[in-house]
């Protein structure tokens, strides 16, 4: 392999749980559509770069670090050059081995975590990545495209005249009056990067910002509509497809989804159609390894004031605590312990010619994605969120004043100062010194409802 030659490999393993194993909220009754763990390895631009997604609700704290370390070792790179993200499906497993270990002290982990299964998927993914780089393909060009996704995404946070959240329009919304409210602040675009060897397409990466739930708590493991759209497009084109959820923490399909089961396929078809339109209108350009680079920064996100390690530990230890609250406390304590240990979240940026793909943690608000695009209007900026899931929801600074579920004590593990930390990290990775662009610039503060 020449010094200037960019090469690519892909890998995929099944990530579906066994019957009876825990999903995020319920035991698995069946697998209605297989879950996937898949990734792309880029070689030739310094040490290998690994981009991986999993059809799980989240991979958090120790688990995310372990996953990245295993993939890094498998392909001969460092863990800071590995991104592990989820699509955040809810009829899917959760993965936080630190939380599982906290619960295991009281023999309470098996209801929520199938630890051998989680470790097995991580190990199989690493083995698959190691095998994949034995047969790589040269990359001679890339294509960049985008297409609007029609009638899927809408903002979840409905404001009153004082600018406070009064209604959360969840991803499934049965109330026609709430569905009739305006779309609100979203990023309507699905963005695509495709890799070619001559005229042969090798792999496609897409990003789109929305919660993926059409309906859930069925006991049937499935990748929901974004995963279905991805799989449909891979089957139709025969080209490996890697899809990332963008900054969709405050975005869902609620305006366009009443929760009926038939609507899952409708939403999947709409996303797949945007993938098709982007795929069919590419602008190809030559590429070499010298056009590809990876940068990353490690950050500690400021803990929310309500994170109390002693209180959380007491909740985990109390066998009278309802199971759902007990695992929730364990998840929060796992993040708290990571902070106390000085662990940092890895935030990465892949540069491919004039394209930048940012890889960020948690259930990030869409305003971060919009801000990143405005920081570098001269570049094609994509964002993948739902990396390390430890922080849970990450709002804008004003969102913590606005209230609502996403910035409640239950839903977020970070304080309003998180905006400054992440904005600084994004600016560093995008090479924007002293940027004046802030996520708050894109947050709606009007009411009633959201702006038309």
């Amino acid at each position: 392999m020449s010094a200037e030659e960019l090469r690519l490999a892909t890998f995929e393993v099944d990530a579906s749980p066994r019957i009876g194993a825990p999903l995020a909220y319920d035991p698995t009754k069946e697998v209605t559509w297989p879950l996937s763990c898949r990734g792309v390895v880029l070689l030739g631009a310094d040490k290998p770069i690994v981009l991986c997604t999993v059809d799980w609700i989240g991979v958090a704290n120790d688990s995310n670090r372990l996953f990245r370390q295993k993939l890094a070792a498998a392909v001969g790179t460092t863990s800071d050059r590995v991104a592990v993200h989820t699509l955040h499906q809810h009829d899917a497993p959760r993965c936080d081995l630190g939380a599982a270990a906290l619960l295991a002290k009281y023999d309470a982990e098996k209801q929520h975590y199938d630890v051998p299964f989680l470790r097995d998927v991580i190990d199989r993914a690493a083995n698959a990545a190691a095998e994949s780089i034995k047969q790589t393909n040269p990359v001679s060009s890339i294509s960049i495209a985008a297409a609007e996704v029609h009638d899927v995404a809408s903002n979840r946070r409905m404001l009153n005249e004082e600018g406070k959240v009064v209604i959360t329009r969840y991803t499934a919304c049965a109330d026609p009056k709430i569905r009739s409210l305006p779309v609100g602040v979203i990023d309507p675009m699905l963005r695509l990067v495709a890799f070619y060897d001559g005229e042969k397409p090798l792999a496609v990466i897409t990003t789109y910002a929305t919660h993926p739930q059409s309906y859930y708590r069925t006991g049937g493991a499935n990748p929901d509509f974004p995963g279905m759209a991805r799989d449909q497009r891979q089957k139709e084109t025969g080209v490996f497809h890697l899809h990332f959820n963008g900054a969709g923490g405050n975005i869902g399909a609620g305006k366009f989804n009443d929760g009926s089961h038939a609507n899952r396929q409708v939403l999947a078809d709409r996303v797949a159609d945007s993938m098709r339109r982007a795929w069919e209108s590419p602008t190809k350009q030559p590429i070499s390894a010298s056009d590809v680079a990876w940068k990353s920064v490690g950050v500690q996100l400021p803990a929310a004031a309500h994170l109390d390690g002693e209180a959380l530990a007491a909740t985990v230890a109390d066998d009278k605590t309802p199971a759902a609250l007990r695992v929730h406390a364990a998840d929060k304590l796992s993040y708290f312990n990571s902070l106390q240990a000085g662990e940092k979240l890895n935030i990465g940026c892949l540069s491919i010619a004039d394209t930048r793909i940012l890889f960020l943690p948690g259930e990030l608000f869409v305003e971060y994605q919009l801000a990143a695009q405005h920081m570098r209007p001269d570049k094609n900026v994509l964002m993948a969120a739902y990396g390390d899931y430890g922080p849970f929801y990450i709002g804008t600074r004003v969102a913590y004043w606005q209230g609502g579920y996403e910035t409640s004590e239950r839903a977020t593990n970070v304080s309003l100062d998180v905006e400054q930390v992440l904005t600084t990290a994004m600016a560093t990775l995008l090479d924007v010194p002293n940027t004046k662009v802030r996520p708050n610039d894109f947050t709606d503060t009007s009411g009633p409802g959201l702006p038309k």
Side-chain angles (χ1 to χ4, degrees):
M1 182 169 66
S2 70
E4 291 294 303
E5 185 177 49
L6 181 67
R7 299 187 71 86
L8 178 146
T10 64
F11 63 91
E12 180 178 1
V13 299
D14 188 276
S16 307
R18 60 179 174 80
I19 304 304
L23 299 172
Y25 301 104
D26 306 283
T28 305
K29 295 179 181 177
E30 60 179 337
V31 177
T32 61
W33 191 299
L35 306 183
S36 171
C37 172
R38 60 180 64 197
V40 163
V41 186
L42 295 172
L43 303 100
D46 199 1
K47 295 178 181 178
I49 300 162
V50 185
L51 313 176
C52 177
T53 64
V54 196
D55 289 332
W56 291 348
I57 193 170
V59 178
N61 303 311
D62 290 348
S63 297
N64 197 282
R65 290 187 287 273
L66 175 66
F67 214 142
R68 290 189 294 109
Q69 288 164 2
K70 292 264 188 175
L71 289 172
V75 302
T77 192
T78 53
S79 61
D80 60 299
R81 297 175 71 84
V82 178
V84 172
H85 290 241
T86 65
L87 294 190
H88 192 58
Q89 298 94 338
H90 279 27
D91 277 340
R94 65 177 80 220
C95 182
D96 187 333
L97 296 174
L102 291 167
L103 291 165
K105 295 178 182 178
Y106 311 101
D107 195 27
E109 84 284 5
K110 291 184 174 61
Q111 183 176 351
H112 309 286
Y113 294 100
D114 184 346
V115 171
F117 159 75
L118 299 173
R119 291 188 178 278
D120 178 63
V121 172
I122 293 171
D123 287 342
R124 285 191 288 112
N127 290 338
E131 285 297 313
S132 75
I133 61 173
K134 295 177 180 178
Q135 290 188 316
T136 61
N137 290 286
V139 179
S140 60
S141 62
I142 60 169
S143 66
I144 308 298
E148 184 174 354
V149 182
H150 299 294
D151 297 342
V152 173
S154 59
N155 204 285
R156 291 165 40 130
R157 293 161 61 82
M158 310 288 102
L159 309 180
N160 64 14
E161 293 180 355
E162 288 73 42
K164 296 281 192 174
V165 174
V166 290
I167 297 170
T168 301
R169 182 169 56 192
Y170 288 105
T171 307
C173 179
D175 188 333
K177 291 183 179 180
I178 299 176
R179 289 203 309 276
S180 71
L181 293 171
V183 167
V185 178
I186 65 168
D187 182 349
M189 304 305 292
L190 177 139
R191 291 174 170 80
L192 174 148
V193 179
F195 299 84
Y196 294 83
D197 174 11
E199 295 302 311
K200 178 185 176 183
L202 302 174
V204 176
I205 296 175
T206 53
T207 65
Y208 177 60
T210 185
H211 261 71
Q213 290 76 42
S214 51
Y215 61 93
Y216 63 102
R217 300 213 65 172
T218 66
N222 71 89
D224 222 306
F225 67 88
M228 291 167 61
R230 171 203 65 204
D231 292 352
Q232 289 170 207
R233 287 300 299 158
Q234 180 163 308
K235 183 177 181 181
E236 290 166 4
T237 62
V239 179
F240 182 87
H241 199 124
L242 184 66
H243 181 67
F244 288 91
N245 197 352
N250 54 342
I251 307 296
K255 181 173 176 60
F256 307 102
N257 179 42
D258 61 5
S260 62
H261 290 199
N263 210 41
R264 174 176 287 172
Q265 188 63 59
V266 172
L267 294 169
D269 289 343
R270 289 173 182 167
V271 175
D273 181 64
S274 69
M275 291 175 173
R276 176 191 61 78
R277 284 183 281 114
W279 170 256
E280 291 177 352
S281 58
T283 302
K284 290 178 67 176
Q285 62 186 95
I287 196 80
S288 69
S290 62
D291 300 311
V292 177
W294 176 269
K295 288 171 55 178
S296 66
V297 294
V299 299
Q300 272 209 324
L301 301 187
H306 62 262
L307 280 192
D308 182 327
E310 290 186 6
L312 290 168
T315 300
V316 172
D318 186 355
D319 60 9
K320 296 183 177 62
T321 303
L325 295 180
R326 202 175 191 188
V327 69
H328 192 68
D331 291 343
K332 283 180 169 290
L333 183 56
S334 180
Y335 179 69
F336 178 83
N337 288 343
S338 290
L339 289 177
Q340 293 297 104
E343 298 287 357
K344 293 184 177 181
L345 301 182
N346 191 65
I347 299 175
C349 180
L350 176 64
S351 299
I352 311 174
D354 287 334
T355 291
R356 303 290 182 268
I357 310 179
L358 287 165
F359 296 89
L360 279 94
E363 300 201 51
L364 202 66
F365 275 30
V366 73
E367 288 87 347
Y368 288 93
Q369 184 164 312
L370 299 174
Q373 293 162 8
H374 281 76
M375 285 180 185
R376 292 303 303 263
D378 58 322
K379 303 295 183 185
N380 178 45
V381 178
L382 290 71
M383 182 173 286
Y386 295 89
D388 192 318
Y389 191 56
F392 289 6
Y393 281 91
I394 302 174
T396 59
R397 186 177 184 86
V398 73
Y400 289 85
W401 170 85
Q402 291 175 322
Y405 168 72
E406 295 85 357
T407 53
S408 68
E409 291 188 2
R410 175 173 175 78
T412 185
N413 290 336
V414 295
S415 76
L416 54 81
D417 294 326
V418 69
E419 181 181 287
Q420 180 62 48
V421 176
L422 286 183
T423 301
T424 300
M426 292 192 306
T428 298
L429 293 173
L430 293 172
D431 297 314
V432 186
N434 303 317
T435 179
K436 295 182 180 180
V437 178
R438 293 289 186 270
N440 267 353
D441 299 338
F442 306 94
T443 295
D444 176 55
T445 56
S446 64
L450 290 166
K452 294 184 168 114

